[in-house]
Amino acid sequence: MIAGTLQTDPRSGGVKKSSGVNVLPIVAETWSEVRDNHNSDVDWLIAGYDKNSKTDITVISKGSHGIEGCSKALPDQLAVFGGCRLKQNGRFVTFFHCAEGTSPMQRGRASMHKNGVLNVLEGSDCEIDMKPGITAETLTLPIISDGGPTSMTAAPVPQRTVPKSSPSPTPLHVAVRSAPVVASKNSNTPSSDLASNVQALSISVEGYIPYEQLKTISDVSDLPSGVDLSTREEALSDEEFLAVFGICKETFRLQPAWKRSSQKKAKGLF
């Protein structure tokens, strides 16, 4: 199965091309085993390149004992992809991991193929930072309750709101930590996919716009400096962003562009 992931080639003026990764059927079949809550023998899988292939992805190991069992099975000097069913809450997570000693060539190729492989692992709640020795106790995830997302394991960031009675939001100060790639309405530079190992805009917002008010803004001048209409979700506080999207900002930025757009449309922020 050739994964339908498209990569933007800046040399072609933003024309998208297929990443060319070929995820073998055994990967989806094994993922079905992982997602089977009645299967106690398989609750994780690790996938990688088949023998000496540069495009074929197959299952290189699978097993049980949750995130701990998966982390112990991570191979040395290889770039791998995978997914796991968490024992404590039954949620499903995916990951991309490059072990120390992975060749720069394989690391770059795997980064380009990452979205195509993880898209096959359907039904995942989020992508995690997998590493050797990780446990259920050290893993940080958004907490989901019956009423939806409630909080993160980290302390919430204090929120400063703009009064709804104001005709237009007061300009807010935004500190930009690093902005190697910035896409604006008047720029001819194509936007880079945040999930494609291209360092993206990282914004630390010291003042926020409430979600209900943010949905009504149609003029970019009403947004904080450094945030445009295509990234208006950045004007939400970390706490409100989690409540609206069910994931943290960092995890949201790592998703493919099509998935981010779909989620923003559903929340009225596109």
Side-chain angles (χ1 to χ4, degrees):
M1 169 170 60
I2 301 292
T5 298
L6 297 178
Q7 303 291 337
T8 301
D9 185 350
R11 296 170 298 180
S12 64
V15 176
K16 291 183 179 292
K17 61 180 183 179
S18 172
S19 65
V21 64
N22 179 32
V23 183
L24 299 180
I26 188 65
V27 177
E29 293 169 6
T30 306
W31 182 240
S32 295
E33 295 182 51
V34 174
R35 287 182 54 79
D36 182 356
N37 292 325
H38 300 293
N39 188 341
S40 60
D41 296 326
V42 179
D43 56 18
W44 58 263
L45 71 83
I46 297 175
Y49 292 98
D50 187 17
K51 299 178 181 178
N52 295 323
S53 174
K54 296 181 180 180
T55 57
D56 293 348
I57 302 296
T58 190
V59 174
I60 60 177
S61 62
K62 63 181 182 178
S64 58
H65 302 298
I67 200 76
E68 292 88 349
C70 187
S71 67
K72 290 178 181 178
L74 291 171
D76 297 328
Q77 299 182 337
L78 288 177
V80 295
F81 319 86
C84 181
R85 180 174 75 238
L86 303 181
K87 292 190 298 184
Q88 65 270 37
N89 54 25
R91 294 176 64 185
F92 300 95
V93 296
T94 55
F95 62 85
F96 169 59
H97 173 72
C98 283
E100 290 187 16
T102 302
S103 70
M105 184 173 295
Q106 184 181 113
R107 185 184 294 267
R109 182 169 62 247
S111 296
M112 183 177 67
H113 291 162
K114 168 189 165 185
N115 290 341
V117 179
L118 297 190
N119 284 346
V120 174
L121 307 182
E122 298 179 340
S124 168
D125 290 331
C126 63
E127 183 181 341
I128 64 170
D129 181 17
M130 173 61 78
K131 61 187 68 175
I134 195 171
T135 66
E137 288 71 26
T138 59
L139 182 65
T140 301
L141 286 174
I143 300 173
I144 304 295
S145 68
D146 292 340
T150 56
S151 65
M152 285 285 289
T153 54
V157 177
Q159 178 175 244
R160 191 180 75 192
T161 62
V162 178
K164 291 186 177 181
S165 58
S166 302
S168 62
T170 303
L172 304 176
H173 174 68
V174 178
V176 180
R177 292 195 297 269
S178 61
V181 180
V182 179
S184 67
K185 294 192 297 183
N186 300 320
S187 173
N188 292 323
T189 303
S191 298
S192 297
D193 192 334
L194 290 177
S196 298
N197 276 359
V198 178
Q199 188 179 12
L201 182 66
S202 179
I203 300 175
S204 175
V205 183
E206 297 178 355
Y208 307 108
I209 298 178
Y211 169 61
E212 292 300 329
Q213 183 172 347
L214 187 61
K215 290 193 296 183
T216 66
I217 294 178
S218 59
D219 190 339
V220 69
S221 64
D222 292 335
L223 293 170
S225 175
V227 177
D228 60 25
L229 293 175
S230 66
T231 58
R232 70 173 73 192
E233 68 276 8
E234 295 286 355
L236 293 171
S237 70
D238 290 351
E239 185 178 42
E240 191 163 22
F241 189 100
L242 178 63
V244 171
F245 289 97
I247 56 176
C248 64
K249 288 183 178 179
E250 181 180 2
T251 300
F252 180 86
R253 294 179 189 131
L254 289 173
Q255 296 182 126
W258 67 265
K259 194 169 186 178
R260 297 197 306 273
S261 296
S262 176
Q263 291 172 331
K264 289 196 289 186
K265 287 179 181 178
K267 301 302 180 182
L269 294 176
F270 188 78

